[in-house]
Amino acid sequence: MNFETKLSLKEKKKHCAVLVRGGGLGDFILSLPLVNYIQSTYEEVLILTKPSYFCLVQSKIKNTEFFELDLGISQFGERLKDSDVFTFWKDGEWIDELKKYHVQKVFILPAKPKSPPHIIESIFKVLSINIPDSYLSKPCLGDFWVQSLTLWIHSGSGSKAKNIPFSFYKKLADDWLRNKKENQVVFSFGEADRHSLDLFKSETFCYPDRIQLILPRSIEEYKEILLKGVAQFWGNDSGPSHLAANLGIPTNVCFRSTNPKIWRPTGPRVHVHEFTQDAN
């Protein structure tokens, strides 16, 4: 869906939009269609989020500026007048603070919907915009898949409740390595994956010389490594799974405690695998 087509020749872009988005990496990536929409609809876009997410938005868009979430709206308070604010926070004091800056309209968007539809559809429903089903299969970061013989596994997430048993990923790795002598496996872990990393280190794999451990220091570094070539990506409902899927990489996402009808990553090559809460 190309949001540029929403504006007729007689229509002008609105003045200023402010997007306030915290949350995890997956939450921000699922917000990228909204970013695309406000960039095409407003002359000026101010994005208040975590600095690590800045790299996920097109830097070539001239009308977009980034601000660190922890420093608050006081960074650009004088520019809030007559702006439209898009926020996932419902706190009353926060809304009252916005009104003091004489904003034009505040759109309160769903942060954690409990039931379908998909969160992207729920976000645009607040804006009275219907998106086609095909839009949920588009890679928001571009289709950059480069095929290789490397199986990528990210077995952690920000919540233990989301993680399926590590034994499942171990079997995936061993089977992949046995299938062809040229095959390789990458296991990656982030700051929130200490438990999963410990499980990885305690295991004995077949052909350990063809297994690589990667601990990306940033989202930008994670992107760069993924773009070098991956056969498949396997992971839980986590930020790295959303990142891989939205780069066009064939992504297998394991859902255990969250609903894929709401949180499924967008992308052209996404496969969902559902597990029960009591899976061992």
Side-chain angles (χ1 to χ4, degrees):
M1 182 177 184
N2 183 355
F3 288 114
E4 291 288 353
T5 61
K6 292 183 63 59
L7 300 175
S8 70
L9 292 177
K10 294 183 179 180
E11 289 179 310
K12 293 182 179 181
K13 285 189 175 184
K14 298 179 182 179
H15 168 53
C16 179
V18 179
L19 172 64
V20 183
R21 188 47 161 151
L25 173 59
D27 295 325
F28 189 84
I29 291 176
L30 287 170
S31 304
L32 289 178
L34 174 64
V35 173
N36 179 265
Y37 167 74
I38 63 177
Q39 284 179 322
S40 65
T41 309
Y42 291 82
E43 293 179 345
E44 184 179 25
V45 178
L46 311 179
I47 299 179
L48 193 65
T49 189
K50 299 178 182 179
S52 59
Y53 299 162
F54 293 177
C55 66
L56 297 173
V57 180
Q58 295 182 51
S59 60
K60 294 181 180 179
I61 300 294
K62 295 181 180 179
N63 67 337
T64 304
E65 295 181 55
F66 301 95
F67 298 87
E68 186 173 346
L69 182 63
D70 288 344
L71 298 180
I73 59 174
S74 60
Q75 302 171 82
F76 49 84
E78 72 283 354
R79 299 167 68 181
L80 283 168
K81 185 178 180 181
D82 297 327
S83 66
D84 288 343
V85 178
F86 299 81
T87 176
F88 292 82
W89 292 348
K90 297 182 180 180
D91 181 75
E93 292 184 5
W94 157 247
I95 303 301
D96 289 340
E97 182 180 0
L98 287 174
K99 291 179 180 178
K100 291 179 182 178
Y101 287 98
H102 305 288
V103 301
Q104 181 165 276
K105 190 166 185 178
V106 178
F107 294 94
I108 301 176
L109 305 170
K112 299 292 181 183
K114 302 296 184 182
S115 59
H118 194 274
I119 186 171
I120 294 177
E121 294 177 274
S122 295
I123 288 171
F124 280 98
K125 185 177 181 180
V126 173
L127 308 179
S128 300
I129 297 174
N130 293 319
I131 59 173
D133 292 340
S134 60
Y135 194 66
L136 298 180
S137 64
K138 293 182 181 295
C140 294
L141 298 173
D143 193 344
F144 298 111
W145 178 37
V146 176
Q147 191 167 7
S148 75
L149 296 174
T150 299
L151 173 67
W152 191 297
I153 297 174
H154 190 100
S155 61
S157 73
S159 169
K160 287 185 180 180
K162 290 183 177 182
N163 297 348
I164 65 168
F166 186 80
S167 58
F168 177 86
Y169 293 116
K170 180 185 183 302
K171 186 177 187 305
L172 276 179
D174 285 341
D175 289 349
W176 183 262
L177 294 172
R178 290 191 184 105
N179 188 49
K180 186 182 295 185
K181 63 181 182 180
E182 295 83 9
N183 283 354
Q184 305 282 328
V185 173
V186 164
F187 275 90
S188 65
F189 300 91
E191 294 180 357
D193 304 321
R194 176 56 59 184
H195 176 69
S196 297
L197 177 58
D198 290 341
L199 291 174
F200 167 79
K201 290 181 177 179
S202 68
E203 287 288 355
T204 301
F205 295 87
C206 72
Y207 308 108
D209 57 312
R210 289 192 273 136
I211 294 179
Q212 184 179 5
L213 170 62
I214 290 181
L215 306 172
R217 293 168 294 182
S218 67
I219 296 171
E220 186 65 35
E221 181 181 358
Y222 213 130
K223 284 174 55 181
E224 290 176 359
I225 300 172
L226 283 171
L227 293 177
K228 290 180 180 178
V230 181
Q232 300 177 38
F233 183 103
W234 277 84
N236 303 305
D237 176 20
S238 65
S241 294
H242 285 270
L243 180 64
N246 278 277
L247 291 170
I249 294 168
T251 303
N252 295 273
V253 191
C254 300
F255 282 83
R256 186 178 186 183
S257 63
T258 49
N259 189 342
K261 292 181 180 179
I262 304 172
W263 301 109
R264 178 186 185 276
T266 60
R269 303 177 185 93
V270 176
H271 301 279
V272 168
H273 306 269
E274 293 189 69
F275 293 75
T276 59
Q277 279 273 25
D278 58 352
N280 294 313

